[in-house]
PDB file of all heavy atoms in Angstrom:
ATOM      1  N   HIS A  64     187.665 -20.598 165.005  1.00  0.00           N
ATOM      2  CA  HIS A  64     186.991 -20.032 166.189  1.00  0.00           C
ATOM      3  C   HIS A  64     185.627 -19.487 165.793  1.00  0.00           C
ATOM      4  O   HIS A  64     185.528 -18.534 165.025  1.00  0.00           O
ATOM      5  CB  HIS A  64     187.813 -18.909 166.827  1.00  0.00           C
ATOM      6  CG  HIS A  64     187.087 -18.231 167.958  1.00  0.00           C
ATOM      7  ND1 HIS A  64     186.851 -18.864 169.168  1.00  0.00           N
ATOM      8  CD2 HIS A  64     186.519 -17.007 168.072  1.00  0.00           C
ATOM      9  CE1 HIS A  64     186.168 -18.046 169.962  1.00  0.00           C
ATOM     10  NE2 HIS A  64     185.953 -16.909 169.321  1.00  0.00           N
ATOM     11  N   HIS A  66     181.105 -19.392 167.139  1.00  0.00           N
ATOM     12  CA  HIS A  66     179.994 -19.722 168.033  1.00  0.00           C
ATOM     13  C   HIS A  66     178.827 -19.935 167.065  1.00  0.00           C
ATOM     14  O   HIS A  66     178.087 -18.990 166.761  1.00  0.00           O
ATOM     15  CB  HIS A  66     179.720 -18.578 169.001  1.00  0.00           C
ATOM     16  CG  HIS A  66     180.972 -18.024 169.643  1.00  0.00           C
ATOM     17  ND1 HIS A  66     181.587 -18.649 170.698  1.00  0.00           N
ATOM     18  CD2 HIS A  66     181.730 -16.950 169.347  1.00  0.00           C
ATOM     19  CE1 HIS A  66     182.674 -17.965 171.023  1.00  0.00           C
ATOM     20  NE2 HIS A  66     182.787 -16.932 170.233  1.00  0.00           N
ATOM     21  N   HIS A 210     189.194 -17.569 174.807  1.00  0.00           N
ATOM     22  CA  HIS A 210     189.425 -16.248 174.216  1.00  0.00           C
ATOM     23  C   HIS A 210     190.577 -15.592 174.985  1.00  0.00           C
ATOM     24  O   HIS A 210     190.556 -15.589 176.214  1.00  0.00           O
ATOM     25  CB  HIS A 210     188.206 -15.341 174.404  1.00  0.00           C
ATOM     26  CG  HIS A 210     186.970 -15.779 173.679  1.00  0.00           C
ATOM     27  ND1 HIS A 210     186.031 -16.589 174.251  1.00  0.00           N
ATOM     28  CD2 HIS A 210     186.511 -15.484 172.435  1.00  0.00           C
ATOM     29  CE1 HIS A 210     185.033 -16.778 173.382  1.00  0.00           C
ATOM     30  NE2 HIS A 210     185.305 -16.125 172.273  1.00  0.00           N
ATOM     31  N   GLU A 213     191.460 -10.173 173.599  1.00  0.00           N
ATOM     32  CA  GLU A 213     190.639  -9.703 172.478  1.00  0.00           C
ATOM     33  C   GLU A 213     190.615  -8.180 172.408  1.00  0.00           C
ATOM     34  O   GLU A 213     190.636  -7.612 171.326  1.00  0.00           O
ATOM     35  CB  GLU A 213     189.208 -10.258 172.604  1.00  0.00           C
ATOM     36  CG  GLU A 213     188.283  -9.827 171.467  1.00  0.00           C
ATOM     37  CD  GLU A 213     186.921 -10.501 171.507  1.00  0.00           C
ATOM     38  OE1 GLU A 213     186.674 -11.300 172.438  1.00  0.00           O
ATOM     39  OE2 GLU A 213     186.097 -10.223 170.613  1.00  0.00           O
ATOM     40  N   ALA A 247     191.843 -17.889 171.041  1.00  0.00           N
ATOM     41  CA  ALA A 247     191.169 -17.092 170.011  1.00  0.00           C
ATOM     42  C   ALA A 247     191.508 -15.614 170.191  1.00  0.00           C
ATOM     43  O   ALA A 247     191.598 -15.139 171.325  1.00  0.00           O
ATOM     44  CB  ALA A 247     189.667 -17.291 170.096  1.00  0.00           C
ATOM     45  N   HIS A 248     191.691 -14.927 169.101  1.00  0.00           N
ATOM     46  CA  HIS A 248     191.944 -13.485 168.992  1.00  0.00           C
ATOM     47  C   HIS A 248     193.423 -13.116 169.133  1.00  0.00           C
ATOM     48  O   HIS A 248     194.055 -12.784 168.166  1.00  0.00           O
ATOM     49  CB  HIS A 248     191.064 -12.665 169.944  1.00  0.00           C
ATOM     50  CG  HIS A 248     189.606 -12.834 169.641  1.00  0.00           C
ATOM     51  ND1 HIS A 248     189.064 -12.465 168.432  1.00  0.00           N
ATOM     52  CD2 HIS A 248     188.577 -13.375 170.358  1.00  0.00           C
ATOM     53  CE1 HIS A 248     187.777 -12.749 168.413  1.00  0.00           C
ATOM     54  NE2 HIS A 248     187.453 -13.313 169.565  1.00  0.00           N
ATOM     55  N   ASP A 299     184.566 -16.146 164.064  1.00  0.00           N
ATOM     56  CA  ASP A 299     183.881 -15.760 165.292  1.00  0.00           C
ATOM     57  C   ASP A 299     182.369 -15.907 165.046  1.00  0.00           C
ATOM     58  O   ASP A 299     181.955 -16.376 163.987  1.00  0.00           O
ATOM     59  CB  ASP A 299     184.269 -14.339 165.718  1.00  0.00           C
ATOM     60  CG  ASP A 299     184.223 -14.157 167.252  1.00  0.00           C
ATOM     61  OD1 ASP A 299     183.774 -15.081 167.959  1.00  0.00           O
ATOM     62  OD2 ASP A 299     184.646 -13.088 167.731  1.00  0.00           O
ATOM     63  N   GLY A 300     181.540 -15.532 166.000  1.00  0.00           N
ATOM     64  CA  GLY A 300     180.092 -15.707 165.831  1.00  0.00           C
ATOM     65  C   GLY A 300     179.547 -14.803 164.727  1.00  0.00           C
ATOM     66  O   GLY A 300     180.110 -13.748 164.438  1.00  0.00           O
TER      67      GLY A 300
HETATM   68 ZN1  LIG B 501     184.489 -15.673 170.203  1.00  0.00          ZN
END
Side-chain angles (χ1 to χ4, degrees):
H64 175 70
H66 314 281
H210 295 91
E213 181 173 1
H248 298 298
D299 210 353

